[in-house]
Amino acid sequence: MKNSATIESLKGMRFGAMATELERQLQDPATYAHMGFEERVALLVDAEWNSRQNNKLIRCIREARFAEPGAAVEDIEYYEDRHLDKAQLLRFTTCDFISKGHHIIFKGASGNGKTYLACAMGNAACRKLLSVRYIRLPELLEELSLAQAAGELKKAIKSYQKYDLLILDEWLIRCLTPQESYNLLEVIEARCNKGSMIFCTQYEPGDWYERLHPNSEERSAIAEAILDRIIHNAYDKTLRNVPTNTWELFYSKFCTENNLYSVKTTFAQFILPIILQSSHTFSTQITEFAFTTVHKILADDNMCYYEWDKLSKLLPNVAWYNSWDKCKRLRKAAKMRNYNIAF
């Protein structure tokens, strides 16, 4: 009776793991009979400590809002043609760059894994119970704009100041307006002495000025201030595209007659956005497979909202009275890129 009361008291004080461990010891007295009092108490404390650390980790990952929550450094594929420095990436996972206030720039064409690498670094930081936040730059700019309209810009900027690591994906994917550049400067300035940032971009730092300040006829102190706070304090890592022959290997692996239909459709939805954005020339076999498979998915209305939202941003618009026709937009995209696809 006394033991039951103790267990309930532990649960009431939110020591759930300790209560569970005590119940385990009471149910198996023979196993723990040879242990002294201090050893058994240590087991109770360790159980509670490990449980709380695991809960903190789960909470850190959830609050980070990663685009790739399952990204892990252990799963990074070091293809020779990508020129990834494994030793350097492993050093990044120690999070020493965060403690020193340095930044990382992952640079390369679309589809080469910048987002995955950034999320893997973010997950490594979460494992050390550091606070992390992932966000696409277009979403951040929209959030700041709405906050400014509501008179809460300072509050929004302060909310991004608290993170140990801020990951900005799709960095300068489009040119910024003067107001957007100023708001972005305020966020970066607020973080100067508060933590680190990871930037995922398709553009060389030398091209950033023109995207921060498209009006090149005038000098922009704001654009210069942003660049000064980032470039001189960052590790610049250029990523290579996965070579075209690698996509051929993936195709031959995932798209054989023996593979399930779901495997083929997953691969088609994965590679089509890469084809639409890449400057590389893919084989006729792969492009025709990707377009026709996705076309059938759209015709059957079987594409989930998330996949369509991602794909629709890469497709050309059609006349308003045909805007509902997803297949028409896909066919127009193929035609614009001179792909002769037999839909």
Side-chain angles (χ1 to χ4, degrees):
M1 192 68 178
K2 184 183 294 185
N3 290 332
S4 298
T6 301
I7 291 171
E8 291 302 318
S9 296
L10 288 172
K11 291 179 179 179
M13 294 186 292
R14 299 185 179 180
F15 292 118
M18 187 177 288
T20 301
E21 177 62 24
L22 179 57
E23 285 182 306
R24 185 182 296 113
Q25 292 188 17
L26 293 174
Q27 291 170 2
D28 189 12
T31 301
Y32 299 95
H34 67 283
M35 292 186 179
F37 174 78
E38 293 83 357
E39 291 178 295
R40 295 184 66 170
V41 170
L43 288 176
L44 298 176
V45 174
D46 287 345
E48 185 63 36
W49 171 261
N50 291 333
S51 175
R52 296 198 176 198
Q53 292 299 98
N54 287 334
N55 290 338
K56 284 182 181 178
L57 174 58
I58 293 170
R59 186 166 61 251
C60 283
I61 294 175
R62 183 177 64 248
E63 293 177 351
R65 305 180 194 178
F66 292 122
E68 300 276 358
V73 178
E74 297 83 2
D75 296 332
I76 295 175
E77 296 175 327
Y78 296 91
Y79 294 112
E80 184 178 350
D81 289 352
R82 296 182 76 189
H83 302 285
L84 292 177
D85 187 338
K86 185 174 183 179
Q88 185 182 47
L89 291 179
L90 291 177
R91 284 197 299 272
F92 288 158
T93 63
T94 65
C95 298
D96 185 54
F97 75 97
I98 297 177
S99 62
K100 294 180 179 178
H102 295 316
H103 312 306
I104 299 175
I105 301 171
F106 286 134
K107 184 174 75 254
S110 177
N112 62 9
K114 300 184 298 295
T115 299
Y116 187 92
L117 279 178
C119 290
M121 296 300 124
N123 262 315
C126 286
R127 292 177 188 178
K128 295 184 178 296
L129 303 182
L130 298 174
S131 58
V132 182
R133 179 73 160 88
Y134 166 94
I135 190 170
R136 296 169 55 249
L137 182 61
E139 294 176 352
L140 173 61
L141 295 174
E142 182 180 5
E143 183 179 326
L144 295 175
S145 179
L146 292 174
Q148 185 174 27
E152 298 180 345
L153 182 60
K154 288 186 178 180
K155 181 179 179 181
I157 292 172
K158 190 173 182 180
S159 69
Y160 286 96
Q161 185 179 10
K162 64 183 180 180
Y163 299 107
D164 296 309
L165 176 63
L166 177 63
I167 301 173
L168 294 178
D169 201 356
E170 296 184 4
W171 172 254
L172 300 181
I173 192 69
R174 62 170 176 82
C175 296
L176 273 55
T177 65
Q179 185 60 56
E180 287 175 333
S181 294
Y182 177 76
N183 291 345
L184 184 59
L185 172 62
E186 289 299 305
V187 172
I188 294 173
E189 172 62 28
R191 293 190 50 79
C192 270
N193 300 314
K194 298 293 183 180
S196 300
M197 290 176 280
I198 294 179
F199 302 89
C200 301
T201 181
Q202 298 182 39
Y203 300 95
E204 295 285 343
D207 298 329
W208 290 5
Y209 184 91
E210 293 181 356
R211 306 191 71 76
L212 289 165
H213 182 61
N215 184 7
S216 57
E217 296 179 359
E218 301 177 5
R219 173 178 166 271
S220 172
I222 293 175
E224 292 174 0
I226 291 174
L227 295 177
D228 180 66
R229 285 159 174 75
I230 298 173
I231 295 177
H232 303 302
N233 192 32
Y235 298 99
D236 189 345
K237 186 64 183 172
T238 300
L239 306 183
R240 311 295 184 190
N241 273 321
V242 176
T244 306
N245 62 340
T246 302
W247 294 121
E248 300 286 350
L249 293 174
F250 285 159
Y251 175 79
S252 63
K253 178 178 180 180
F254 293 119
C255 303
T256 63
E257 294 182 359
N258 296 328
N259 281 119
L260 295 173
Y261 176 73
S262 60
V263 175
K264 297 177 182 178
T265 56
T266 300
F267 178 72
Q269 291 181 84
F270 169 76
I271 198 171
L272 183 58
I274 297 173
I275 293 174
L276 290 171
Q277 297 178 87
S278 178
S279 58
H280 289 277
T281 302
F282 289 80
S283 69
T284 303
Q285 187 180 32
I286 289 181
T287 53
E288 185 168 348
F289 163 79
F291 274 98
T292 55
T293 303
V294 172
H295 188 274
K296 186 178 188 307
I297 295 171
L298 293 175
D300 295 339
D301 198 24
N302 285 331
M303 182 173 286
C304 69
Y305 172 80
Y306 170 76
E307 291 293 343
W308 169 246
D309 183 60
K310 182 171 62 173
L311 177 62
S312 64
K313 296 173 183 177
L314 305 176
L315 299 179
N317 292 321
V318 294
W320 64 269
Y321 49 82
N322 283 327
S323 59
W324 59 271
D325 194 339
K326 300 176 182 179
C327 293
K328 190 176 185 68
R329 291 181 63 185
L330 183 64
R331 292 194 297 270
K332 185 176 180 180
K335 185 176 180 181
M336 290 176 64
R337 293 182 65 89
N338 297 319
Y339 290 129
N340 187 20
I341 308 295
F343 289 102

